[in-house]
Structure formats: structure tokens, C-alpha cells
Amino acid sequence: MNLPAPPNFGVQAEPRALAPGRRKRQHRSRPLIRSAGVRFALAYAVVFGVSAFALAFSIWYSTLDLLQRQVEVDIRNDALVLDEHYQLGGLPSLIAAIHDRLTDVTQSDGIYLLEDALGNRLIGNLDTWPNGLNQVNTWYELPVTRDHQSSVALLRAYSLPGGGELLVGRDVTARDKLRNVLRDGLLWALGLMFALGILGAFLVRSLFRRMMRDISTTTRAIARGDLARRIPLTGDGDEFDELATIINDMLDRISRLMDGVRQVSNAIAHDLRTPITRARTRLEDASLHAHSAEDLQSAIERATLDLDGIVGVFEALLRIAEIEAGSRRAAFAPIDLAPMLHDMDELYRAVAEERGLTLETRIEPRLPLLGDRDLVQQAVANLLDNALKFTEPGTVIGFTARLEEAVIEIAITDRGPGIAEPDRARATERFFRAESARSTAGSGLGLALVAAVAQLHNGTLLLADNDPGLRAVITLPARSS
Amino acid sequence: MKGLREAGHTAEHADNGRDGLFLAASENFDAIILDRMLPGGIDGLRLLETLRAQDNATPVVFLSALGQVDDRVKGLKAGGDDYLIKPFAFAELLARVEALTRRGKSDGPTTRLAVGDLEMDLLSRSVRRGVQKIDLQPREFRLLEYLMRHAGQVVTRTMLLEGVWDYHFDPQTNVIDVHVSRLRQKIDKPFELPLLHTVRNAGYMLRAEEV
């Protein structure tokens, strides 16, 4: 019944979709059912229509049922009273009672017919026994001729103990009329409801479209390159606001990443351009001004060292990118960090002693981890490298690893210059170098790699003040045994 | 090529996978240097797999610009003996190739190593030079063992990191130099003839004769 509705929508929806440019073509070629707005509207109309139909049908059905039963009860009671008359006063009393009823103007819809055993009409307002009525004690609804007028009656026949049959009935023409009025009324109401349903669907669809418009115009603008655009919030706190907030958060994250990439590419341009220029100048200078083979040799060697440095930076960058991509998580294995850390302690202890530093190491005997051994090793090595690089002779470097409440904590502390409070947050950015560290050799990628490794293992890198010096702590979730 | 020949090796060169496979299968080389990405339909991995399927055990060093850990693992799984990432220092390549050719020749289990008057007993884990016994830490022992097994060859810092410490990256600190100089203190310092030499721009070499 409500199926013709959708095509109507479509025809009306079409002019709205005719926006300028490429969209026009897209919308035209897209089947209407593929439009979410139309689908929602359709679903709305169907649900509304079905419920309206169910309501109307149940009203119609229960009303008619009630009327029918009322008539039946009326006929039964009438027949009982007439039966009493017959029991008490025999046939004459019955005839008199029927006569009373026939002459009573307040009961104009009563139908009676009394026949004797031979089929002779004794009294009643029907001229003949109705056609088709051939069983007693059964309900019939038949056309009858009463006072020369055709009508429809609900009838029931009773046989009399002394022979003969009594027919009691009610004219139901009025009931049929009521039924028709009711049906017409309900049909009209249904029609109206469908019209309202269509209107409602339309409303839902346009509401939906308006909600979507903010999102789609914003995302389209972003796709064109206007990354500063954000979806305006209505302030209602509804689902669309929620969606808009999520999308805005995502856009913020994307623009932060883009900033990061931009910053990294700038840094690459700067950090690599400098050594490349240096190597180039050295070679050029040597080719123009070298006086001896030794001069040339040393220039070439130094340029090679510069190039090695560039390769090192490249490798570190690629490695960080590889770690951040998370692909190495597939190769995670259960490992115990303790032996590995002892090896590192042994490897670095010699260097520390060589430089007049003391390495104070405390490593707990069991440090279970699900992770990548090489990466954790490199992260710890970077921190130890840093500690050695920035510390004056005669001081102590702390190297501790412990397991506490399912968290492995590897801490490396030094008494060097540390990292100034405002720089700490940026220290893990690629190529970031604190003012105090500019004079020291390094690429500014070490801590970035440590942070990436920690993050890969769902851990963190914390940089804190060791008062004086730096306290770098890697926390990694331990493997539960 | 030029570098390899200058170092005293005989080298043959194929510039695509098909020729390379033909060359490798038809002649008996001491070592093969193989690029991952080759023109001519057969890439380095396929070439090596084909070679290994024919029971050819020639040591192979991969040389590739594909430097991710996965690439390395793939190369070694396919039967490669070493994997070097471009760009590389020639000294590194030469040292690794020479280490491989040596390994290919002496496969039998050895219990004693000797360089000049320096002797190492792998069973009792003892070291002596001449008549004097030298006490070494376990790690120093392994370092010396590695150097002695590659005696007469250049051993790079990276090779030592991988072979002795199982490190697969280059730390910024000169950790290897410190450990080598400590070892040198123990095996060379009290004696007249130095055995452990530093090779400029390359690494170290343990040998009895003067360089």
C-alpha cells in the first residue's frame, strides 16, 4: 500500500541533488535506493505505515466483533424468554408474546417467524421461511424480505418440543451501515496517515541531509586541501555532534601527523644538506687546491666519513619509520631481558671505565617480555650511549632494571647537563637537539628511536630530572607467565 | 670488481639474473656476491633458491638496498650466509667475503687455535702465549676466539658486534675499540711482537707477521 511512496520521493529528491559540478553526475547515476537519506525515509514510511495499518485494522475488527456478539446475545436472550412463554402457556402464550414484540415500536429490528409442524405460518413478520436456513440452533446471516422490504438479518431457528419451529432474528442492516461508515472512516484515516508518513519520511530525509551537509562540506574542503576546516558543532550533544567531534579529533590527529612529517622533511633537508654540502665542499676544495697526494687522500677520507654519517642518519630514520609502522610486532617473541641487559652492562662497563665513569648496575634476575630483543637492545644502547656522551669523568651512571606490578622498568640515570624542562617534551622528536647538546656529535634521532621502541611495546619513555642530570626510564608491560 | 681483484681475488661478473645463475651453476666459486634485485626475470632470492635446490653450497653474501629486518630475514632464510645493506663500505664487503671463503674451507670441528705463539685451547678454554698463561674474561675469550678463527683477515667492528655480542646495529659509542684495546693489553702488551693490528678505516686483524 505504501510502496508507491519511494518513487515519489525520488522524483522530488532529484532537483535537490542537482548541485554544481561533478556531484551532479554522481547523484544522477546513483540509484535512489543507494541514497542513505532515501533509505532512512523509506524505512520510516514503512514502519509508520505498517503500524498505522495495524492500528486501524484492530479497531475495525474489534468493533465489528463486539457488535456481532451483542446481536447474538440479544437473540439468545429473546429466544430464552420466548421459550419460557411456551413452557408456561403453550403455543397461544408464545404467539401472544411474539405479537407483543411485533407491535412494539421500540423494537423495530426484531424478526420472528413461528411455523407449526406442517410448515404453516402461525405468526411473524417474515412472509416465507428464508431460503438456505435448514438447520436449527445455528447462526445464519441471510437476506430476508420483511414487510416487503429486502434487508439482511442474523437468524437462528429453534425447534419446539410440540412440533413446529421458531425463528428469531435481528435486522442487521443498521449494523452493516455502521460497518461501512467505520470502514470508510478508517480508510480515510489510513490514507491520511500514509500521507503524514510520507511527509514525515521527507522530513527525516531532509533533516538527515542537513546534518550530513556540514560533515560533507567540511570533509570535501579538507580533501581539496583546506586542512584547517572543522565540522561545526550544533551544541545539542546529539549523535551527529558526537560524530562531528570524532571526525574533528581525527582531523586534529592527521594535521598533527602532517605537521610532524613536514617538520621531519624540513629537518631532513637541513640535517642532511649540511653534511652533504660539507662533503661536497671538501671534495671540490681538494680537487682545486690539493698540493699533494696526502692532502687528496685525507680530503677523500673525511668526505667518506661525512657520507657515512649521512647514511647513518638515513638508516636511523628508516628504522624509526619501520618501528612506528608497527610491522615488527608480528615478530614479537617471549624473551627474558635480564641476560641481554647483563651483556650490555658488560659491553658498556669497559667504555665507562675507560672514560673514568662508574656504571652502577642493578638488574633483577627475571624480566619476562613479549617483544623484539634487538629493538629493546638498541633502545637501551641509545640511552647508555647518551649517558656516556654527556657525562663528565668521575661521576656515576645508574643502570637499573626491575619488575614491579607486571611492569618492567629500565632506568638509566646520569649526572650530565640533563634536558631543560621545556625541552623534555620535544626531546623525542626526530632531529630535535637541545641547545646544550648542539656542540656534541649526534643526529638527534636517538631518543626518537627509544620512544618509538617503547611505544611499539605499548610502553613509554619518561624523561625526568635526576637533579642534576637526566633520568631516562623505559617502562614496558611485562609478559604474564 | 676492481677492489676484489686488487685484493688478490679472481672475480667474474654477471649483470643479470639468468647469466648469474648460469655462471654460478657452471663454475666452482669460493663465494658469490648477490644483489636482491636483478634484471633478467630471475631475482636474487629465486637465483639462490634454485642454486641451493641443486645442492650448491657456495657461500653467498647478499648485497641489497632492501634494508628492512624482514628483507634480511628473507635473504638468510633463502640460504644466504650474510646480508649487507647498500650503501656499504668496500672494506666491510671484502672482510665479510673473505670470512665466508675461509669458513667454507675449514668446516671440521677444531679444538685448538694458534696464531704465531698465541695458542687457544677451546676445550679447557685456556689461552697461552709462549709459555705464559693469559687469563681472559669469558667475553674476551670469545672476542679472541673470533679474531683467531679469522686470523689473517680483516675483521670489521660490525662483524665483531654481530659475531661476539649479537648486536645488529652500530652503537654510537666506540664500544668495540675499548674491548679490543683491553684484549690487546692482555695478549700483546707484555710481548715484543704485536699480533692484534688495527687496519685503518676497516677494522682489526690478528696475524703473526708484520703487516
Side-chain angles (χ1 to χ4, degrees):
Chain A
M1 276 201 259
N2 50 354
L3 278 180
N8 278 338
F9 279 161
V11 174
Q12 284 169 344
E14 195 73 342
R16 279 180 144 233
L18 291 181
R22 274 172 49 215
R23 264 173 76 209
K24 184 161 130 192
R25 244 173 295 127
Q26 282 178 358
H27 275 260
R28 216 179 240 167
S29 60
R30 180 196 298 168
L32 275 165
I33 199 69
R34 296 262 302 274
S35 150
V38 170
R39 269 207 310 269
F40 279 1
L42 190 65
Y44 173 79
V46 166
V47 169
F48 190 81
V50 166
S51 55
F53 180 77
L55 179 70
F57 186 76
S58 76
I59 288 175
W60 189 69
Y61 186 80
S62 58
T63 309
L64 285 186
D65 192 50
L66 184 71
L67 283 175
Q68 178 83 7
R69 264 185 291 130
Q70 261 178 359
V71 175
E72 283 175 7
V73 167
D74 200 15
I75 290 172
R76 258 182 225 278
N77 289 342
D78 204 5
L80 275 176
V81 174
L82 289 175
D83 186 49
E84 265 167 38
H85 278 286
Y86 183 71
Q87 302 280 341
L88 291 175
L91 209 53
S93 173
L94 179 59
I95 291 173
I98 292 174
H99 184 73
D100 282 351
R101 280 166 170 72
L102 288 177
T103 49
D104 185 351
V105 281
T106 59
Q107 288 195 6
S108 60
D109 58 347
I111 285 171
Y112 304 95
L113 183 60
L114 181 63
E115 286 187 347
D116 64 11
L118 298 173
N120 296 316
R121 179 174 175 270
L122 297 176
I123 190 169
N125 53 1
L126 288 186
D127 301 335
T128 55
W129 192 264
N131 260 343
L133 202 160
N134 36 33
Q135 277 186 311
V136 293
N137 293 324
T138 311
W139 294 110
Y140 285 95
E141 192 167 334
L142 293 167
V144 292
T145 314
R146 171 192 168 204
D147 300 337
H148 310 294
Q149 281 190 332
S150 308
S151 63
V152 180
L154 187 65
L155 302 162
R156 193 176 171 107
Y158 299 90
S159 59
L160 301 174
E165 283 179 332
L166 171 67
L167 186 70
V168 182
R170 289 290 183 273
D171 192 325
V172 290
T173 320
R175 191 209 64 188
D176 280 1
K177 271 186 192 146
L178 178 65
R179 182 174 64 186
N180 288 346
V181 167
L182 196 61
R183 190 191 58 207
D184 289 352
L186 286 176
L187 278 181
W188 273 106
L190 261 182
L192 199 65
M193 278 188 233
F194 279 125
L196 283 173
I198 288 165
L199 201 69
F202 225 142
L203 218 67
V204 166
R205 179 174 153 282
S206 66
L207 209 66
F208 182 73
R209 286 203 141 201
R210 215 184 40 190
M211 300 284 203
M212 294 304 290
R213 200 172 46 225
D214 282 345
I215 295 177
S216 56
T217 49
T218 307
T219 43
R220 199 169 289 127
I222 286 166
R224 275 199 299 267
D226 182 6
L227 276 169
R229 284 285 285 275
R230 291 294 177 272
I231 299 164
L233 299 181
T234 56
D236 300 343
D238 58 3
E239 290 87 344
F240 281 94
D241 259 11
E242 206 174 300
L243 180 64
T245 313
I246 293 169
I247 293 177
N248 284 347
D249 285 352
M250 181 189 76
L251 292 173
D252 286 345
R253 169 114 178 102
I254 289 174
S255 67
R256 266 204 306 281
L257 288 174
M258 297 262 296
D259 283 348
V261 170
R262 199 170 302 131
Q263 185 203 331
V264 168
S265 21
N266 288 344
I268 291 175
H270 177 262
D271 274 62
L272 292 185
R273 190 172 282 159
T274 312
I276 290 171
T277 310
R278 201 161 48 218
R280 191 187 180 285
T281 313
R282 228 190 277 289
L283 291 172
E284 194 176 44
D285 186 58
S287 82
L288 291 176
H289 306 296
H291 296 298
S292 64
E294 285 84 51
D295 281 1
L296 215 53
Q297 181 87 20
S298 83
I300 289 170
E301 271 171 16
R302 280 159 69 190
T304 310
L305 280 181
D306 283 341
L307 289 174
D308 282 349
I310 296 165
V311 170
V313 169
F314 257 121
E315 267 171 15
L317 274 175
L318 289 175
R319 194 141 177 148
I320 293 171
E322 190 189 358
I323 295 165
E324 282 181 347
S327 58
R328 292 190 70 166
R329 235 176 238 144
F332 272 13
I335 45 171
D336 186 357
L337 289 183
M340 182 199 93
L341 292 176
H342 276 295
D343 278 358
M344 299 191 69
D345 168 54
E346 183 249 29
L347 181 65
Y348 277 90
R349 178 167 298 275
V351 185
E353 281 165 11
E354 200 80 3
R355 298 190 184 181
L357 292 159
T358 318
L359 194 59
E360 259 181 20
T361 309
R362 271 201 322 278
I363 295 166
E364 279 189 16
R366 239 181 63 78
L367 300 167
L369 177 79
L370 183 71
D372 188 313
R373 179 185 171 279
D374 285 355
L375 288 183
V376 178
Q377 192 178 42
Q378 185 167 4
V380 175
N382 281 6
L383 292 181
L384 286 170
D385 279 339
N386 275 352
L388 288 171
K389 198 159 73 180
F390 290 112
T391 313
E392 295 297 316
T395 59
V396 175
I397 292 173
F399 178 20
T400 58
R402 58 203 182 112
L403 175 64
E404 211 163 89
E405 283 167 11
V407 170
I408 296 173
E409 193 185 280
I410 304 168
I412 284 143
T413 58
D414 65 44
R415 295 289 180 199
I419 301 174
E421 176 76 47
D423 286 344
R424 256 175 236 153
R426 297 192 56 209
T428 54
E429 286 174 14
R430 292 180 182 81
F431 294 117
F432 177 81
R433 309 212 60 205
E435 280 306 320
S436 55
R438 292 226 186 259
S439 54
T440 325
S443 60
L445 292 171
L447 287 178
L449 187 133
V450 180
V453 169
Q455 206 161 24
L456 182 77
H457 290 83
N458 294 322
T460 55
L461 166 66
L462 178 84
L463 299 174
D465 201 342
N466 196 34
D467 205 20
L470 180 69
R471 178 179 162 78
V473 184
I474 305 176
T475 48
L476 305 169
R479 172 168 51 93
S480 48
S481 43
Chain B
M1 286 289 288
K2 193 175 156 221
L4 285 171
R5 284 191 184 127
E6 270 176 11
H9 298 284
T10 316
E12 302 246 9
H13 175 243
D15 57 11
N16 65 65
R18 199 173 297 276
D19 296 352
L21 182 59
F22 178 75
L23 204 61
S26 55
E27 283 182 56
N28 200 4
F29 290 103
D30 289 328
I32 296 170
I33 301 169
L34 187 60
D35 200 321
R36 276 284 298 274
M37 289 179 285
L38 294 169
I42 303 178
D43 72 356
L45 279 185
R46 285 258 312 278
L47 194 156
L48 179 59
E49 277 161 4
T50 316
L51 215 55
R52 291 290 185 251
Q54 296 169 354
D55 285 336
N56 187 324
T58 313
V60 167
V61 182
F62 268 116
L63 203 57
S64 177
L66 301 174
Q68 298 221 326
V69 179
D70 278 354
D71 300 320
R72 190 191 189 95
V73 169
K74 250 186 234 163
L76 296 183
K77 261 196 188 146
D81 298 271
D82 209 342
Y83 198 104
L84 210 57
I85 294 158
K86 289 182 192 174
F88 55 91
F90 181 73
E92 187 76 39
L93 174 67
L94 188 63
R96 280 166 188 262
V97 168
E98 286 180 349
L100 277 182
T101 51
R102 169 72 63 89
R103 198 178 77 189
K105 275 172 193 161
S106 61
D107 249 353
T110 41
T111 55
R112 293 181 66 80
L113 295 168
V115 176
D117 55 352
L118 183 66
E119 284 177 33
M120 172 179 272
D121 187 331
L122 291 170
L123 292 179
S124 65
R125 301 195 74 79
S126 63
V127 177
R128 57 175 63 245
R129 186 163 182 188
V131 289
Q132 193 173 335
K133 194 173 181 303
I134 299 171
D135 281 326
L136 292 179
Q137 302 284 324
R139 186 73 63 175
E140 288 167 340
F141 187 88
R142 277 182 60 186
L143 177 59
L144 183 61
E145 180 190 338
Y146 192 92
L147 287 165
M148 288 181 83
R149 281 187 189 277
H150 295 91
Q153 300 170 6
V154 175
V155 174
T156 65
R157 292 175 178 83
T158 319
M159 285 165 78
L160 287 175
L161 273 168
E162 283 178 16
V164 182
W165 277 275
D166 200 15
Y167 256 48
H168 293 278
F169 59 93
D170 289 322
Q172 287 180 41
T173 319
N174 57 341
V175 279
I176 294 303
D177 294 347
V178 173
H179 282 268
V180 170
S181 85
R182 287 193 160 199
L183 181 65
R184 185 178 275 151
Q185 293 282 325
K186 291 191 175 175
I187 63 167
D188 272 352
K189 193 65 184 288
F191 303 97
E192 213 166 280
L193 180 73
L195 294 175
L196 187 46
H197 307 275
T198 303
V199 183
R200 217 165 106 79
N201 291 332
Y204 299 98
M205 188 194 283
L206 193 69
R207 61 186 282 171
E209 311 88 53
E210 282 295 339
V211 182

